[in-house]
Amino acid sequence: MLEVTDLHVNYGAVNAVHGVSFAAAVGKITVVLGANGAGKSTSLRAVAGFHKPRSGSVVLDGETITGLPAHKVVRRGMALVPEGRKIFFPLSVEENLRIGGYTASRSKVEKTMGEVYDTFPILKDRRHSAAGLLSGGEQQMLAFGRALMSQPRLMLMDEPSMGLAPTMVETVMASVKGMVDKGIGILMVEQNADAALELADTVVVVTRGETVWTGTAAQARSDKKIVHAMLGEAALDDA
Ligand SMILES: Nc1ncnc2c1ncn2[C@@H]1O[C@H](COP(=O)(O)OP(=O)(O)OP(=O)(O)O)[C@@H](O)[C@H]1O
Ligand SMILES: [Mg+2]
């Protein structure tokens, strides 16, 4: 269980996030919706230890981990799948996966890599290819696989469907569902609200650096107009 409360994050004098709260639980999907620049990525990066928050609290399974650096957050069982995937293009698929397992022992890395290959057979087929040669959807699976290498209980995903063709979005969302069914908890930022709402258990709307709405996915679906109004953008096709 992850509980983030009243997070504040600055970039120098710029207060990008001022009052973001959300939670995520094992075996559940929390979806964070919000317009461009709302502070979604900043919040995820701060929770994952890539940027120190100014204030607020991040509690993972009852332990406060606020401000802990990323490598320590990974050891506590939470991994970030970053915006834009951040794959190392010149490295092979397998080398990218090994980077995700950098906190684990060698024997554990081999075992976990086998599990990742079982989950994403395409990565096994392409394991010696340069990662830059993969399609966008395959690169997203590699980004998932790299995060899975640390055997997380919770994964933070920043716009996994970004830039993908609609059929690929479906494939990526199906693999997200597969990870949840295996008992991983997921907190996912998505601009593709329709695809995300189909999977979500809980929905959080972030507007201008603040959490302004939290509810169940059913409430968000029936309240599409409200969510739409808060996003301020045409993020929902038929709202
Ligand atoms: N490195 C940075 N330095 C200064 N300001 C930044 C930096 N990164 C982001 N910001 C600002 O912080 C605010 C939040 O940005 P953030 O990237 O978290 O938003 P987002 O919700 O993820 O947006 P998007 O949907 O476009 O990914 C924006 O006003 C942005 O311009
Ligand atoms: Mg972002």
Side-chain angles (χ1 to χ4, degrees), residues 3-227:
E3 289 167 287
V4 175
T5 310
D6 200 19
L7 198 67
H8 286 57
V9 189
N10 276 24
Y11 291 108
V14 179
N15 187 211
V17 166
H18 45 89
V20 163
S21 300
F22 50 64
V26 162
K28 302 276 183 207
I29 302 188
T30 301
V31 166
V32 179
L33 302 175
N36 289 327
K40 307 178 297 295
S41 298
T42 300
S43 299
L44 258 52
R45 288 173 51 78
V47 170
F50 289 96
H51 196 93
K52 256 199 194 322
R54 187 164 63 94
S55 63
S57 79
V58 180
V59 177
L60 183 62
D61 292 332
E63 284 185 60
T64 299
I65 60 160
T66 322
L68 219 59
H71 67 278
K72 291 193 175 163
V73 174
V74 167
R75 284 204 187 94
R76 301 286 183 109
M78 185 162 66
L80 173 68
V81 182
E83 185 173 57
R85 303 175 186 119
K86 305 288 191 293
I87 295 298
F88 299 100
F89 287 167
L91 301 185
S92 71
V93 165
E94 191 149 309
E95 285 164 340
N96 271 275
L97 290 177
R98 280 186 197 286
I99 289 168
Y102 74 107
T103 57
S105 68
R106 205 186 164 89
S107 60
K108 215 170 175 185
V109 164
E110 300 310 317
K111 184 173 175 292
T112 313
M113 189 148 4
E115 290 165 9
V116 169
Y117 285 149
D118 288 344
T119 307
F120 301 111
I122 187 74
L123 297 182
K124 188 174 189 183
D125 296 345
R126 306 293 302 274
R127 63 188 184 277
H128 300 305
S129 304
L133 297 176
L134 300 182
S135 73
E138 291 164 353
Q139 285 179 16
Q140 186 58 52
M141 286 171 204
L142 178 53
F144 288 154
R146 185 181 54 190
L148 287 172
M149 287 299 294
S150 66
Q151 300 193 312
R153 293 189 304 286
L154 279 162
M155 282 168 82
L156 308 172
M157 303 180 168
D158 200 344
E159 303 209 30
S161 81
M162 193 202 268
L164 301 182
T167 55
M168 246 324 143
V169 173
E170 276 177 38
T171 307
V172 162
M173 291 298 165
S175 44
V176 170
K177 175 94 174 49
M179 288 183 262
V180 173
D181 290 345
K182 283 189 179 158
I184 293 175
I186 290 178
L187 183 110
M188 178 168 73
V189 166
E190 258 301 335
Q191 296 256 344
N192 192 335
D194 280 322
L197 285 181
E198 278 182 31
L199 293 184
D201 294 293
T202 303
V203 176
V204 176
V205 179
V206 175
T207 302
R208 282 181 234 102
E210 265 181 276
T211 294
V212 294
W213 191 86
T214 303
T216 65
Q219 285 170 330
R221 278 191 291 263
S222 64
D223 253 4
K224 270 190 173 183
K225 283 201 172 66
I226 295 176
V227 175

